[in-house]
Amino acid sequence: MKRSGCLFVFLFSSLTLFGCGPSQGTAQPEKGQAAHSHALAGAPHDHASTPVRPEIAVPAQPPIPANATPQQVVATFLESLRGGDEMVAAALLTDKAREETAKKDLAVQPPGTPAAKYQVGEAEYVTPNKDGAHVPSVWTESDDQGNSESYEIIWVLRHQQNGWRIAGMATQIVENTAPLFLNFEDPEDMLQKWQQASEEMSRADAEDGVRQARTSEDSTASPTLPR
């Protein structure tokens, strides 16, 4: 079953969203065009910003200009995930996302997978004032045997006073199902959705196990010879 549930230990240390082992190698990121993805359904467009609490330590300005495009912000964010730079990753979230996740004691903790590669696609502006955007991306990881898997993620961005920042993401957890939208600005909803997704993945894994067992039994059964 192809799905992006096993992708990487995602941003928040108290919320294991994805869980693959570390990759090997030193491949450099690929910044190209990803296939255009459909617009997200149900992504909120509340652009209100909440001041960051003083104890949330983030850089005053991440290593990009304030007028950076949504694509540039996503590329910098993915590079921070690849390099395990939690300060930059946190600085590229919206103020509200940092504030609300801090209330739930969810600390930013990018995975640090140097062998990962990524591609960033064209931004789609989703509000009349062009202060909301969706940016598709492809994240690719390799295992110890050199096998690679790629996962499509759509990043949801808001435009704040200090530039574009990431408010959430959407990705397909189980094949042939709608993408799951995780709103970093609403951790309670995010946690609830992830719990539901985890249960769905467990059911899918169980069904896969049953199908594989039946296939194995059928392949080893003795043929019935005609008399």
Side-chain angles (χ1 to χ4, degrees), residues 26-39:
T26 56
Q28 296 300 313
E30 297 175 353
K31 300 177 183 178
Q33 296 294 323
H36 182 72
S37 301
H38 56 77

Side-chain angles (χ1 to χ4, degrees), residues 62-144:
I64 54 173
N67 63 350
T69 65
Q71 296 98 308
Q72 290 172 324
V73 170
V74 169
T76 304
F77 182 73
L78 293 177
E79 181 62 24
S80 74
L81 299 187
R82 207 177 73 93
D85 193 332
E86 64 183 66
M87 295 287 282
V88 171
L92 291 173
L93 299 181
T94 62
D95 294 344
K96 185 175 182 180
R98 285 200 306 272
E99 172 73 11
E100 295 301 321
T101 53
K103 290 178 181 178
K104 294 290 185 180
D105 295 322
L106 301 176
V108 175
Q109 191 177 40
T113 51
K117 301 179 182 181
Y118 57 83
Q119 296 176 314
V120 179
E122 292 291 335
E124 176 189 4
Y125 296 96
V126 294
T127 59
N129 295 330
K130 292 189 175 182
D131 54 2
H134 296 161
V135 178
S137 70
V138 177
W139 179 274
T140 302
E141 289 189 359
S142 300
D143 60 22
D144 294 339

Side-chain angles (χ1 to χ4, degrees), residues 5-19:
C6 181
L7 177 53
F8 49 84
V9 178
F10 194 58
L11 285 174
F12 305 109
S13 61
S14 298
L15 177 62
T16 303
L17 295 185
F18 306 102

